[in-house]
């Protein structure tokens, strides 16, 4: 009897764990609403940063935000799948430099801070972005 009661509860808990581990970075970022807010703030920041905003003047924001959401969700353990261009393809022809990358990171930080993301979670997310460096720059 006890087993009959406990089994569905256990299945529920394990099911939830399989899709989004409770200690995942995704959870620290606030799950779906948190990551969507973060993406909104970051894209706003990219558009208002005079150092790099010219690059985003023709951007389809709805598309770009959705791809960023998927990418951050996937990287942070939220269980999404990124469906956009690979990073090299997405940035080819832009000839982005280390300086551009630093401006972009500044905007990520400002956007994340405005979205209420803790410094610890910001650092964890930026550490996941860093290895993409080579695919994004000088293409
Ligand atoms: C690790 C760092 C970066 C990540 C994770 C990233 C992520 C992305 C993603 C997901 C897209 C959309 C891909 C698609 O079209 O399917 C994109 C496009 C783009 N990214 Fe990045 N990016 C990074 C670095 C940068 C930097 C440093 C800059 C410039 C300062 C930049 C400028 C752009 C621009 C201009 C687009 C095209 C937007 C449009 O469609 O108009 N990115 N990026």
């Amino acid at each position: 009897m006890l087993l009959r009661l406990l089994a569905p509860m256990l299945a529920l808990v394990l099911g939830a764990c399989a899709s989004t581990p409770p200690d995942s970075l995704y959870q620290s970022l606030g799950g779906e609403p948190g990551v969507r807010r973060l993406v909104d703030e970051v894209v706003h920041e990219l558009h208002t940063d005079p150092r790099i905003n010219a690059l985003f003047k023709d951007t389809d924001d709805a598309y770009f935000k959705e791809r960023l959401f998927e990418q951050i969700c996937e990287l942070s353990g939220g269980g999404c799948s990124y469906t956009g261009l690979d990073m090299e393809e997405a940035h080819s022809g832009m000839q982005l430099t280390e300086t551009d990358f630093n401006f972009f990171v500044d905007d990520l930080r400002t956007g994340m801070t405005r979205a209420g993301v803790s410094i610890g979670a910001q650092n964890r997310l930026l550490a996941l972005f860093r290895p993409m460096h080579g695919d994004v720059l000088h293409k």
Side-chain angles (χ1 to χ4, degrees), residues 55-56 59 63-64 71 82 84-85 91 94 96 104 129 136:
L55 291 165
F56 297 95
T59 297
Y63 171 87
F64 184 49
Q71 194 180 35
Y82 174 66
L85 299 175
H91 302 91
M94 293 186 202
L96 297 174
F104 184 82
F129 277 145
V136 168

Side-chain angles (χ1 to χ4, degrees), residues 46 51-52 54-61 63-64 67-69 71-72 75 82-87 89-91 94 96-105 107-108 126 128-133 136-137:
L46 291 171
R51 301 171 302 178
I52 52 172
L55 291 165
F56 297 95
K57 68 178 181 352
D58 297 323
T59 297
D60 173 348
D61 275 358
Y63 171 87
F64 184 49
R67 299 295 79 74
L68 277 179
F69 168 77
Q71 194 180 35
I72 293 172
L75 281 171
Y82 174 66
T83 64
L85 299 175
D86 71 48
M87 287 297 91
E89 220 177 343
H91 302 91
M94 293 186 202
L96 297 174
T97 64
E98 196 73 41
T99 309
D100 296 321
F101 195 86
N102 291 338
F103 294 156
F104 184 82
V105 170
D107 295 340
L108 281 174
L126 290 174
L128 295 170
F129 277 145
R130 214 160 294 279
M132 297 175 184
H133 225 181
V136 168
L137 300 189

Side-chain angles (χ1 to χ4, degrees), residues 15-104:
C17 291
S19 52
T20 331
D23 60 347
S24 67
L25 173 58
Y26 186 67
Q27 292 305 330
S28 306
L29 294 171
E32 176 164 354
V35 175
R36 289 205 184 275
R37 165 128 195 256
L38 173 177
V39 166
D40 281 347
E41 296 289 359
V42 168
V43 171
H44 173 79
E45 204 53 39
L46 291 171
H47 278 299
T48 49
D49 181 348
R51 301 171 302 178
I52 52 172
N53 63 359
L55 291 165
F56 297 95
K57 68 178 181 352
D58 297 323
T59 297
D60 173 348
D61 275 358
Y63 171 87
F64 184 49
K65 285 182 182 182
E66 200 53 36
R67 299 295 79 74
L68 277 179
F69 168 77
E70 287 171 358
Q71 194 180 35
I72 293 172
C73 172
E74 181 177 312
L75 281 171
S76 64
C80 308
S81 296
Y82 174 66
T83 64
L85 299 175
D86 71 48
M87 287 297 91
E88 186 165 346
E89 220 177 343
H91 302 91
S92 81
M94 293 186 202
Q95 292 295 328
L96 297 174
T97 64
E98 196 73 41
T99 309
D100 296 321
F101 195 86
N102 291 338
F103 294 156
F104 184 82

